[in-house]
Every structure is written in C-alpha cells, then in structure tokens.
Amino acid sequence: MFMCRIFAAALAEGKVSPILKIGLKRLEYGGYDSAGMATINGDHLEIKKGVGKIDEVDKAVNFESLEGNVGIAHNRWATHGYPSVTNAHPIVDCTGNIAVVHNGVIENFLELKEDLIEKGHVFKSRTDTEVVAHLVEEELKEEKDFVNACLKAIKKVEGSYALAIIYSKEPDKIVLVKKESPLYLGIGKDGNFASSDPVAFVDKTNLMIPLEDYELAVITPYYYKIYSINTGNIITRKPTEINITPQMIEKGGFPHYMLKEIFEQPTSLYYAMNIQKPYLEAIAELMYRSKINFLVGAGTSYHSCLAASYMYSKLAGLATIPVVASEFIHQYGNTLDPDTSLLLVSQSGETADVLKVASFARMKASTVMAITNVVSSTITRLSRLYLVQQAGPEIGVAATKTYTSQLLIHLLLALEIGKKREKISEEEFKDYFAKIRSIPKIAESILKNTEQKVKEVAEILKDSSHIFYLGRGINTATAFEGRLKMLEIAYIPSSAFSAGESKHGPIALIEKNTPVIFVAPNDSSRRVILGNIMEIKSRGGKIITLGNSDDKELKEVSDIYIEMPESEDILTPILYVLPLQLLAYYTAVLRGLDPDKPRNLAKSVTVE
Ligand code: G6P
C-alpha cells in the first residue's frame, strides 16, 4: 500500500498504545482513510482497526484500550480497492499470532498468494500485504526462530516495502524490513521505535538510524540489531541525531505542505510509472476505438489535458480535444454520441464542473473514463474505467505532484495507443520507456539543482506588478501552469500565452524590466522561441529563461538563465514545470503569504 505510514514501538515499561496513537496522528499527512494497531498482550495479539481518519477510528475502537508494551500501527491511503476494515492493517496470518503493517507494493503477490493457498493458507483481505503474514507463518513451520523465519520469507517477496512484523510467541521483538519505502529506527533510553518517518518518534528520542534497502532490523525494548537480508550478516551502524522541530512535524520536515509535495515528485512519478497496467491498456483501447476523444479537466488538471493533446498527437497520431470542464457542455455537449470518449482528469475526483460533464456524457451514451488521485471519489463511480494516480494525498491547495503524475499517465496512454495505431515501433516504444524510467531521478536532480537559482529569481520577482509566461508547443501548457501557480499562491497578476501569440497583443504590455519567463527546451520550437525572446528583449523586457544547460545562445540573450538537463521533448512538460512550482512557492513565501492556504481557493471545488 503506497503512501501509507507505519509506526512500531517496543517500550521497557508502560502501555504502548497511547504512544502509537500520537505517532499515527503525526503521520496522518500520509494517509487517512483507515487506521489500525496491534499490540502483544502476554502471549496473544490484540488488534483494533477501522475505516476513517485516525480520530474517527479511535472514537469507534478506542486504541488506548490495547494492552501491552510492544506494538505496531498503520494508517492507510487506499490506492487499490476500497478502504475497509478487512483491508486495514495490521493484517494477520491464519493462526492470528503474526501481524504485519506495510507501506509499499508487493509486485509478485498474486503468484505468492496462489502458492500459499495451495499450501492451505486462507486469505481474508484483498491486500498484497497479507502474503507476508502467511509467508512468515509458513517459514515458522520449519524454522523456529522468528527473525530467521522473516529473513527467509522476505527473500521471496518482490516489490517495495517498509514492513513491521510482530509474533506473539516472541513477544519482545518487532521485525522491520526495508526496500524502497522509507524506514527509520529510533533508538531511545526507555525503548526503541521504527517508523516511515522519524516525526512519529521525535518526542521520544533524538537518535535515529535510517535503514537501507535489503536490510532487516529487530527492535526490542532493550536493544536493536540490523541484518543484511542477502547475507544474513549483522550490520553495525551508529545512530545519528534528528534535526526536526516539533512545528515541522506534520509536514514531514518541510515548512509547508506545498514544498513537501513538490519534493515528493520523484516518488509520485515513480508510482505513476507503475500504474495499474490492465486499466491503462483498457482505456487506451477505448480511446483507440473512439471516433472523437475529449480530454476534460479544470485548473491544473485542464493543463495536463492540454499538454496531453500534444502527446497523443505526436506519439499516437491521435487527435484529442482538450476542454475546460466548465465550458464543455456549452461548447461540445451537442456533439456527444456513443462513438465519443471523454477522458476526465480530476485530482480530487470531486470537482463539480467535471462531475457534471461525466453525468451529461453518460446520458448521451458516450464513454466516460477518468484519471484521479482519490480512489473512492465520485468520479470513479461515474466512469466506466478509471486510473488512480497513486501520488499520495495532496494537501497543499496548489496542485503540484498530482500535475506531473497526470502528465506521466497521459504519456503512458499515448505510448500504448501509439503502439496500437502502429505509429511507433516496438523499438521506439522500449526506447521511450527507458527514458520514462529515468524521469524520477532527473526530477530529483532538477529540484536539487535549480532551487537556489529559483530563490534568487523569486527575490527579483516578488514585487512585480505583472509577470508573463511564454512557451511553445507542448510547453504552452507549462507556461499556463507556471502562471496559475503564481496567481494562486503569490497573487501576482500574471499572463501566459503560446509564445507565437505574444505579438498578437500581449507584447503591448512589455515595458522596461517587465519580467517574461520563457520555457524554452531544446525541441523543434527552440529556433522560433529564440525569435520571440528577441522581440521581447528589444522592448526592454527582463528575460528569464528555462533552457538546456549547454544552450549558449539562449543563455547569452537571457538576463537570468535556469539550466535544465537535456531531455526528450515529450518529457519536458514534466520536468520544466518543477522550477516554476518552486518559483511560485518561494515568491509567495517572500511576500509573506501562506502557500498552503491561498485566499478564496479550495483544494476541491464542489460547486459549479
Ligand atoms: C481547484 C484547485 C486547483 C485544481 C482544480 C481542479 O480550483 O484550487 O488547484 O487544479 O480545482 O481540481 P481537480 O481536483 O478536479 O483536479
């Protein structure tokens, strides 16, 4: 389960459940559709779990009634399957002696499940996590030692995981295992802890040890040990000090959710890349068969539709029509019929304008499909097929990580349709895929390498009366999105145009030092955009350019140049928007505004 958070604690004295509850609350930013806890009381497990936010579940089950000094806890943000009590963690084995909490995705769980069912195990939940409980149970039939059984079991598991496992017959121990999903040990005087995020135990100890991939650790109230999963050898690693203030707690160490979410993009992109394949193929098939394809969204989600229309055209030779949701029925309502498809894009899945289009299109027997970030949202009920972005909850009102993840999903769809329409060869398909796989890493380096420069630009822009954003081709959408971020949270009047349009009006507003931000990657529009830069420059505009790091010519004509890595043109909207998100964020902060709570705006607009 991606974007869930786990917390485990082994105390020398006292009940663990109140401490687990406080930790879970601090981890609530990572998910809040179900929560659960398991403790070891004497020789048996006690478990409480339920659906809803932690406070709601607590009210219903009273977590603090759990006895025992050793326990594990979990909060979940559903991506596969609806939140339910059965699917909430902790998940147990057949005997009820082993309990597991998990953050991550077990990729080979179907194979493992079949095998375990053949061996007589009975599965209760629909989670991938449950295989871990049964695997450990299976190993314990031969291997009497809990830690060794976990070491053996985990070798069979493929995918990503941060796991905490307890076993009532060895009541002092908690086994922790890590691959790809984060996991930290907290080393205290009166007990030891482990969590997806050290904020969970920051008030109990300031010493932590980050676990590395393929490591298994054991904590008890009195000691901790770390093993290599591959060799079984013990690893020695000293704890380091935690550098987090209590105020930063809920934001995972960041001053604002927005900044945290901007920096989460390497992870959210990784998860978008691993989206549910069968649904992706099914949506591609329906788009391929339709006579007309519309892409519909509001705000940021509309911008992803706009960029996507270039992707479908370039990679699949497929014409798609991007439309703003609130205009759709007036503009195209009368054209809908059973041969028409609509791909609706909505982070929240609750935007009223988008839902209205969905209901309308259903009445016309058109095919309604959706991309959303919220698995149980209304749009999923109105759509014939939908894809869940798996970007994790986005709390900042300005959409950031969900935008880039929408773009990546469109890209995967475009490639799939391109293959069907024989517009790209198998070879090209693989080549694109290899490039897509490198996106999370490139995004990470862009965020790191441009942040300082962006802060300097924010300092220059913070008192501007008007900012222009210009881009061409697919990055017209990037210009629009950069402008929207600036408007939404820094409240600086801003305009965005396709650069070719600038001479048809906007250029009249250029005066000495008017800031103009150009999105100018090294693609087919690079030559023409250089011409547009010269037009603005000769009228005194301040040229701020995002371009290829080795583009000397662009660098020379720009007043400020933000260096970007070379990349495939179709990927540039995902990468070039990153510094623009940071720019809006830092400009807002410098203007003394709270980027997480922009005036007049709501995360999800549920009225027309
Ligand atoms: C609101 C938010 C925007 C968002 C838009 C669409 O206006 O403030 O940030 O892009 O809704 O939201 P959706 O959930 O449908 O993507």
mmCIF file of all heavy atoms in Angstrom, residues 297-302 345-352 354 372 389 394 396-399 402 406 481 484-485 488 598 601-605, ligand 1:
data_model
loop_
_atom_site.group_PDB
_atom_site.id
_atom_site.type_symbol
_atom_site.label_atom_id
_atom_site.label_comp_id
_atom_site.label_asym_id
_atom_site.label_seq_id
_atom_site.Cartn_x
_atom_site.Cartn_y
_atom_site.Cartn_z
ATOM 1 N N GLY A 297 -10.862 18.740 -18.006
ATOM 2 C CA GLY A 297 -10.425 18.969 -16.625
ATOM 3 C C GLY A 297 -10.585 20.433 -16.258
ATOM 4 O O GLY A 297 -10.937 21.277 -17.098
ATOM 5 N N ALA A 298 -10.324 20.750 -14.988
ATOM 6 C CA ALA A 298 -10.386 22.140 -14.511
ATOM 7 C C ALA A 298 -9.030 22.511 -13.937
ATOM 8 O O ALA A 298 -8.294 21.640 -13.458
ATOM 9 C CB ALA A 298 -11.458 22.269 -13.426
ATOM 10 N N GLY A 299 -8.706 23.793 -13.992
ATOM 11 C CA GLY A 299 -7.474 24.289 -13.370
ATOM 12 C C GLY A 299 -6.247 23.532 -13.862
ATOM 13 O O GLY A 299 -6.053 23.319 -15.064
ATOM 14 N N THR A 300 -5.450 23.086 -12.908
ATOM 15 C CA THR A 300 -4.232 22.360 -13.229
ATOM 16 C C THR A 300 -4.519 21.103 -14.046
ATOM 17 O O THR A 300 -3.791 20.778 -14.982
ATOM 18 C CB THR A 300 -3.517 21.995 -11.909
ATOM 19 O OG1 THR A 300 -3.090 23.212 -11.308
ATOM 20 C CG2 THR A 300 -2.332 21.104 -12.137
ATOM 21 N N SER A 301 -5.581 20.416 -13.698
ATOM 22 C CA SER A 301 -5.905 19.183 -14.417
ATOM 23 C C SER A 301 -6.205 19.473 -15.889
ATOM 24 O O SER A 301 -5.886 18.667 -16.767
ATOM 25 C CB SER A 301 -7.092 18.480 -13.769
ATOM 26 O OG SER A 301 -6.744 18.060 -12.479
ATOM 27 N N TYR A 302 -6.795 20.635 -16.154
ATOM 28 C CA TYR A 302 -7.001 21.009 -17.564
ATOM 29 C C TYR A 302 -5.647 21.196 -18.261
ATOM 30 O O TYR A 302 -5.466 20.785 -19.408
ATOM 31 C CB TYR A 302 -7.845 22.288 -17.681
ATOM 32 C CG TYR A 302 -7.746 22.892 -19.068
ATOM 33 C CD1 TYR A 302 -8.327 22.242 -20.166
ATOM 34 C CD2 TYR A 302 -7.017 24.058 -19.297
ATOM 35 C CE1 TYR A 302 -8.187 22.750 -21.447
ATOM 36 C CE2 TYR A 302 -6.878 24.570 -20.580
ATOM 37 C CZ TYR A 302 -7.462 23.913 -21.647
ATOM 38 O OH TYR A 302 -7.307 24.396 -22.917
ATOM 39 N N VAL A 345 -10.099 14.341 -16.211
ATOM 40 C CA VAL A 345 -8.932 14.363 -15.324
ATOM 41 C C VAL A 345 -9.275 15.231 -14.119
ATOM 42 O O VAL A 345 -9.643 16.400 -14.267
ATOM 43 C CB VAL A 345 -7.688 14.914 -16.057
ATOM 44 C CG1 VAL A 345 -6.469 14.860 -15.143
ATOM 45 C CG2 VAL A 345 -7.424 14.109 -17.328
ATOM 46 N N SER A 346 -9.198 14.645 -12.928
ATOM 47 C CA SER A 346 -9.501 15.406 -11.718
ATOM 48 C C SER A 346 -8.741 14.798 -10.542
ATOM 49 O O SER A 346 -8.988 13.648 -10.176
ATOM 50 C CB SER A 346 -11.006 15.378 -11.435
ATOM 51 O OG SER A 346 -11.280 16.004 -10.207
ATOM 52 N N GLN A 347 -7.825 15.572 -10.001
ATOM 53 C CA GLN A 347 -7.050 15.113 -8.847
ATOM 54 C C GLN A 347 -7.978 14.590 -7.754
ATOM 55 O O GLN A 347 -7.832 13.477 -7.280
ATOM 56 C CB GLN A 347 -6.200 16.295 -8.349
ATOM 57 C CG GLN A 347 -5.274 16.045 -7.183
ATOM 58 C CD GLN A 347 -5.939 15.935 -5.842
ATOM 59 O OE1 GLN A 347 -5.717 14.943 -5.140
ATOM 60 N NE2 GLN A 347 -6.773 16.898 -5.465
ATOM 61 N N SER A 348 -8.943 15.419 -7.377
ATOM 62 C CA SER A 348 -9.827 15.078 -6.255
ATOM 63 C C SER A 348 -10.924 14.113 -6.659
ATOM 64 O O SER A 348 -11.468 13.401 -5.828
ATOM 65 C CB SER A 348 -10.480 16.351 -5.725
ATOM 66 O OG SER A 348 -11.257 16.950 -6.759
ATOM 67 N N GLY A 349 -11.271 14.137 -7.936
ATOM 68 C CA GLY A 349 -12.404 13.332 -8.388
ATOM 69 C C GLY A 349 -13.732 13.889 -7.902
ATOM 70 O O GLY A 349 -14.765 13.228 -7.958
ATOM 71 N N GLU A 350 -13.707 15.132 -7.415
ATOM 72 C CA GLU A 350 -14.924 15.715 -6.832
ATOM 73 C C GLU A 350 -15.276 17.072 -7.427
ATOM 74 O O GLU A 350 -16.239 17.696 -6.987
ATOM 75 C CB GLU A 350 -14.760 15.889 -5.309
ATOM 76 C CG GLU A 350 -14.503 14.608 -4.532
ATOM 77 C CD GLU A 350 -15.668 13.614 -4.578
ATOM 78 O OE1 GLU A 350 -16.767 13.987 -5.026
ATOM 79 O OE2 GLU A 350 -15.436 12.452 -4.191
ATOM 80 N N THR A 351 -14.499 17.579 -8.366
ATOM 81 C CA THR A 351 -14.766 18.905 -8.917
ATOM 82 C C THR A 351 -16.124 18.907 -9.632
ATOM 83 O O THR A 351 -16.348 18.122 -10.565
ATOM 84 C CB THR A 351 -13.630 19.306 -9.875
ATOM 85 O OG1 THR A 351 -12.443 19.354 -9.103
ATOM 86 C CG2 THR A 351 -13.871 20.643 -10.534
ATOM 87 N N ALA A 352 -17.005 19.782 -9.181
ATOM 88 C CA ALA A 352 -18.391 19.753 -9.664
ATOM 89 C C ALA A 352 -18.480 19.888 -11.187
ATOM 90 O O ALA A 352 -19.243 19.174 -11.837
ATOM 91 C CB ALA A 352 -19.183 20.857 -8.983
ATOM 92 N N VAL A 354 -16.473 18.972 -13.435
ATOM 93 C CA VAL A 354 -16.052 17.740 -14.109
ATOM 94 C C VAL A 354 -17.127 16.660 -13.928
ATOM 95 O O VAL A 354 -17.472 15.940 -14.872
ATOM 96 C CB VAL A 354 -14.683 17.259 -13.545
ATOM 97 C CG1 VAL A 354 -14.225 15.992 -14.244
ATOM 98 C CG2 VAL A 354 -13.629 18.360 -13.675
ATOM 99 N N THR A 372 -7.734 9.994 -11.759
ATOM 100 C CA THR A 372 -7.930 10.706 -10.492
ATOM 101 C C THR A 372 -6.914 10.230 -9.467
ATOM 102 O O THR A 372 -6.329 9.156 -9.618
ATOM 103 C CB THR A 372 -9.364 10.506 -9.951
ATOM 104 O OG1 THR A 372 -9.502 11.247 -8.736
ATOM 105 C CG2 THR A 372 -9.666 9.046 -9.657
ATOM 106 N N GLN A 389 -3.962 7.713 -9.757
ATOM 107 C CA GLN A 389 -2.607 8.235 -9.930
ATOM 108 C C GLN A 389 -1.599 7.709 -8.912
ATOM 109 O O GLN A 389 -0.411 7.688 -9.178
ATOM 110 C CB GLN A 389 -2.616 9.764 -9.822
ATOM 111 C CG GLN A 389 -3.497 10.436 -10.812
ATOM 112 C CD GLN A 389 -3.479 11.943 -10.625
ATOM 113 O OE1 GLN A 389 -4.512 12.567 -10.584
ATOM 114 N NE2 GLN A 389 -2.314 12.543 -10.495
ATOM 115 N N GLU A 394 -2.619 14.926 -1.586
ATOM 116 C CA GLU A 394 -2.039 16.253 -1.850
ATOM 117 C C GLU A 394 -2.820 17.229 -0.982
ATOM 118 O O GLU A 394 -4.024 17.394 -1.150
ATOM 119 C CB GLU A 394 -2.176 16.583 -3.331
ATOM 120 C CG GLU A 394 -1.400 17.818 -3.732
ATOM 121 C CD GLU A 394 -1.495 18.029 -5.231
ATOM 122 O OE1 GLU A 394 -2.621 18.241 -5.729
ATOM 123 O OE2 GLU A 394 -0.468 17.970 -5.909
ATOM 124 N N GLY A 396 -1.539 20.592 0.026
ATOM 125 C CA GLY A 396 -1.375 21.962 -0.461
ATOM 126 C C GLY A 396 -2.466 22.245 -1.489
ATOM 127 O O GLY A 396 -2.744 21.388 -2.338
ATOM 128 N N VAL A 397 -3.086 23.415 -1.406
ATOM 129 C CA VAL A 397 -4.193 23.705 -2.322
ATOM 130 C C VAL A 397 -3.707 23.748 -3.777
ATOM 131 O O VAL A 397 -4.358 23.257 -4.690
ATOM 132 C CB VAL A 397 -4.910 25.021 -1.914
ATOM 133 C CG1 VAL A 397 -5.852 25.487 -3.001
ATOM 134 C CG2 VAL A 397 -5.686 24.796 -0.624
ATOM 135 N N ALA A 398 -2.528 24.314 -3.990
ATOM 136 C CA ALA A 398 -1.994 24.370 -5.359
ATOM 137 C C ALA A 398 -1.495 22.981 -5.755
ATOM 138 O O ALA A 398 -0.645 22.404 -5.074
ATOM 139 C CB ALA A 398 -0.856 25.384 -5.420
ATOM 140 N N ALA A 399 -2.040 22.456 -6.830
ATOM 141 C CA ALA A 399 -1.648 21.106 -7.264
ATOM 142 C C ALA A 399 -0.221 21.118 -7.793
ATOM 143 O O ALA A 399 0.143 21.993 -8.587
ATOM 144 C CB ALA A 399 -2.609 20.623 -8.334
ATOM 145 N N THR A 402 0.470 16.095 -8.227
ATOM 146 C CA THR A 402 -0.571 15.397 -8.985
ATOM 147 C C THR A 402 -0.561 15.837 -10.451
ATOM 148 O O THR A 402 -0.966 15.092 -11.325
ATOM 149 C CB THR A 402 -1.961 15.622 -8.374
ATOM 150 O OG1 THR A 402 -2.186 17.029 -8.263
ATOM 151 C CG2 THR A 402 -2.067 14.974 -7.012
ATOM 152 N N GLN A 406 -0.179 13.236 -13.474
ATOM 153 C CA GLN A 406 -1.182 13.161 -14.559
ATOM 154 C C GLN A 406 -0.484 13.158 -15.925
ATOM 155 O O GLN A 406 -0.838 12.394 -16.819
ATOM 156 C CB GLN A 406 -2.118 14.375 -14.496
ATOM 157 C CG GLN A 406 -3.121 14.330 -13.365
ATOM 158 C CD GLN A 406 -3.801 15.671 -13.114
ATOM 159 O OE1 GLN A 406 -3.470 16.696 -13.724
ATOM 160 N NE2 GLN A 406 -4.753 15.696 -12.202
ATOM 161 N N GLU A 481 0.593 26.573 -16.650
ATOM 162 C CA GLU A 481 0.613 26.006 -15.302
ATOM 163 C C GLU A 481 1.513 26.830 -14.375
ATOM 164 O O GLU A 481 1.168 27.077 -13.228
ATOM 165 C CB GLU A 481 1.061 24.536 -15.369
ATOM 166 C CG GLU A 481 1.156 23.821 -14.037
ATOM 167 C CD GLU A 481 -0.124 23.791 -13.212
ATOM 168 O OE1 GLU A 481 -1.196 24.138 -13.725
ATOM 169 O OE2 GLU A 481 -0.031 23.454 -12.014
ATOM 170 N N LEU A 484 -0.465 29.802 -13.440
ATOM 171 C CA LEU A 484 -1.541 29.505 -12.486
ATOM 172 C C LEU A 484 -0.995 29.401 -11.064
ATOM 173 O O LEU A 484 -1.578 29.923 -10.112
ATOM 174 C CB LEU A 484 -2.260 28.204 -12.881
ATOM 175 C CG LEU A 484 -3.447 27.822 -11.997
ATOM 176 C CD1 LEU A 484 -4.559 28.857 -12.067
ATOM 177 C CD2 LEU A 484 -4.011 26.459 -12.385
ATOM 178 N N LYS A 485 0.172 28.734 -10.916
ATOM 179 C CA LYS A 485 0.772 28.607 -9.575
ATOM 180 C C LYS A 485 1.051 29.988 -9.001
ATOM 181 O O LYS A 485 0.768 30.267 -7.846
ATOM 182 C CB LYS A 485 2.093 27.829 -9.608
ATOM 183 C CG LYS A 485 2.066 26.362 -9.978
ATOM 184 C CD LYS A 485 1.276 25.477 -9.059
ATOM 185 C CE LYS A 485 -0.148 25.431 -9.505
ATOM 186 N NZ LYS A 485 -0.921 24.314 -9.410
ATOM 187 N N GLU A 488 -2.209 31.741 -8.070
ATOM 188 C CA GLU A 488 -2.915 31.096 -6.960
ATOM 189 C C GLU A 488 -2.318 31.427 -5.608
ATOM 190 O O GLU A 488 -3.033 31.669 -4.654
ATOM 191 C CB GLU A 488 -2.840 29.560 -7.115
ATOM 192 C CG GLU A 488 -3.871 28.955 -7.993
ATOM 193 C CD GLU A 488 -3.715 27.432 -8.064
ATOM 194 O OE1 GLU A 488 -2.581 26.935 -8.242
ATOM 195 O OE2 GLU A 488 -4.728 26.744 -7.947
ATOM 196 N N PRO A 598 -4.114 29.509 0.185
ATOM 197 C CA PRO A 598 -4.370 30.703 -0.613
ATOM 198 C C PRO A 598 -5.793 31.222 -0.418
ATOM 199 O O PRO A 598 -6.717 30.420 -0.263
ATOM 200 C CB PRO A 598 -4.156 30.227 -2.050
ATOM 201 C CG PRO A 598 -4.191 28.749 -2.007
ATOM 202 C CD PRO A 598 -3.880 28.307 -0.622
ATOM 203 N N LEU A 601 -9.479 30.220 -2.407
ATOM 204 C CA LEU A 601 -9.406 28.968 -3.161
ATOM 205 C C LEU A 601 -9.702 27.769 -2.275
ATOM 206 O O LEU A 601 -9.506 27.825 -1.068
ATOM 207 C CB LEU A 601 -8.015 28.794 -3.783
ATOM 208 C CG LEU A 601 -7.567 29.878 -4.750
ATOM 209 C CD1 LEU A 601 -6.158 29.594 -5.230
ATOM 210 C CD2 LEU A 601 -8.512 29.978 -5.929
ATOM 211 N N ALA A 602 -10.144 26.703 -2.920
ATOM 212 C CA ALA A 602 -10.343 25.447 -2.197
ATOM 213 C C ALA A 602 -9.620 24.365 -2.958
ATOM 214 O O ALA A 602 -9.448 24.449 -4.177
ATOM 215 C CB ALA A 602 -11.817 25.126 -2.126
ATOM 216 N N LYS A 603 -9.202 23.368 -2.233
ATOM 217 C CA LYS A 603 -8.500 22.247 -2.881
ATOM 218 C C LYS A 603 -9.408 21.589 -3.900
ATOM 219 O O LYS A 603 -8.988 21.192 -4.975
ATOM 220 C CB LYS A 603 -8.085 21.249 -1.796
ATOM 221 C CG LYS A 603 -7.315 20.052 -2.310
ATOM 222 C CD LYS A 603 -5.906 20.447 -2.692
ATOM 223 C CE LYS A 603 -5.154 19.358 -3.401
ATOM 224 N NZ LYS A 603 -4.182 19.921 -4.360
ATOM 225 N N SER A 604 -10.655 21.469 -3.522
ATOM 226 C CA SER A 604 -11.571 20.823 -4.441
ATOM 227 C C SER A 604 -12.848 21.643 -4.495
ATOM 228 O O SER A 604 -13.464 21.927 -3.463
ATOM 229 C CB SER A 604 -11.807 19.409 -3.907
ATOM 230 O OG SER A 604 -12.994 18.919 -4.386
ATOM 231 N N VAL A 605 -13.221 22.075 -5.700
ATOM 232 C CA VAL A 605 -14.373 22.964 -5.836
ATOM 233 C C VAL A 605 -15.597 22.127 -6.178
ATOM 234 O O VAL A 605 -15.748 21.656 -7.300
ATOM 235 C CB VAL A 605 -14.111 24.047 -6.906
ATOM 236 C CG1 VAL A 605 -15.302 24.988 -7.014
ATOM 237 C CG2 VAL A 605 -12.856 24.823 -6.562
HETATM 238 C C1 G6P B 1 -9.382 23.881 -7.710
HETATM 239 C C2 G6P B 1 -7.956 23.870 -7.169
HETATM 240 C C3 G6P B 1 -6.969 23.689 -8.327
HETATM 241 C C4 G6P B 1 -7.314 22.438 -9.126
HETATM 242 C C5 G6P B 1 -8.749 22.482 -9.631
HETATM 243 C C6 G6P B 1 -9.167 21.174 -10.240
HETATM 244 O O1 G6P B 1 -9.563 25.032 -8.444
HETATM 245 O O2 G6P B 1 -7.694 25.066 -6.480
HETATM 246 O O3 G6P B 1 -5.664 23.564 -7.798
HETATM 247 O O4 G6P B 1 -6.429 22.316 -10.210
HETATM 248 O O5 G6P B 1 -9.625 22.729 -8.530
HETATM 249 O O6 G6P B 1 -9.191 20.185 -9.258
HETATM 250 P P1 G6P B 1 -9.272 18.656 -9.556
HETATM 251 O O7 G6P B 1 -9.380 18.011 -8.206
HETATM 252 O O8 G6P B 1 -10.509 18.427 -10.382
HETATM 253 O O9 G6P B 1 -8.052 18.264 -10.299
#
